[in-house]
Amino acid sequence: MKLLKLAYSALFAAIMMSCAASGAAKTATVTRDCTGTYLRVDSKDWLVCNAEILSKHKEGAVVTAKFEKTNLCPEFADKVVCMMYHENEGLIRITDLK
C-alpha cells in the first residue's frame, strides 16, 4: 500500500513538473543577450529555439505564450554564440504567441 502511494505521489510530481513549461498560456518577458532569446516566466529564463517568432518583440516586451520543453534545437546547429553563461531552465519551443 505504501509503495502504491509513493508511486502515485511520484506520478503527480512528474505531471506537475511537466506542466510548468507547457499547457496553459503564460505571461512572459522577452529577454535577449548574445547567448540567445529567452522567455522569463516567474523569474526563470527559458531559451527559445524558434526565436524568430519573437523578432518583432523588443527586449522587455511582455507576451502571452504557450510553449513546450524540448531537448533539441536544430535552429542552433550552425549558430555561433558568445561564451557568456546565461542561467536558464532549459530549451523551449513556442507553440502559440499573443
Side-chain angles (χ1 to χ4, degrees), residues 19-28 39 41-42 63-67 94-98:
C19 291
S22 62
K26 300 190 183 306
T27 301
L39 285 184
V41 180
D42 297 329
V63 298
T64 302
K66 287 185 181 183
F67 55 90
I94 296 173
T95 58
D96 188 37
L97 184 67
K98 294 180 183 175

Side-chain angles (χ1 to χ4, degrees), residues 22-85:
S22 62
K26 300 190 183 306
T27 301
T29 303
V30 177
T31 305
R32 290 186 180 92
D33 63 24
C34 63
T35 64
T37 300
Y38 300 82
L39 285 184
R40 182 168 290 155
V41 180
D42 297 329
S43 300
K44 296 180 180 179
D45 289 353
W46 297 86
L47 181 56
V48 180
C49 292
N50 56 336
E52 71 282 349
I53 198 169
L54 295 168
S55 63
K56 294 181 180 177
H57 294 82
K58 294 183 179 185
E59 169 81 17
V62 176
V63 298
T64 302
K66 287 185 181 183
F67 55 90
E68 299 173 343
K69 288 183 186 180
T70 185
N71 293 323
L72 299 172
C73 283
E75 296 91 339
F76 297 163
D78 297 327
K79 303 264 181 174
V80 176
V81 296
C82 68
M83 295 301 290
M84 185 173 90
Y85 175 70

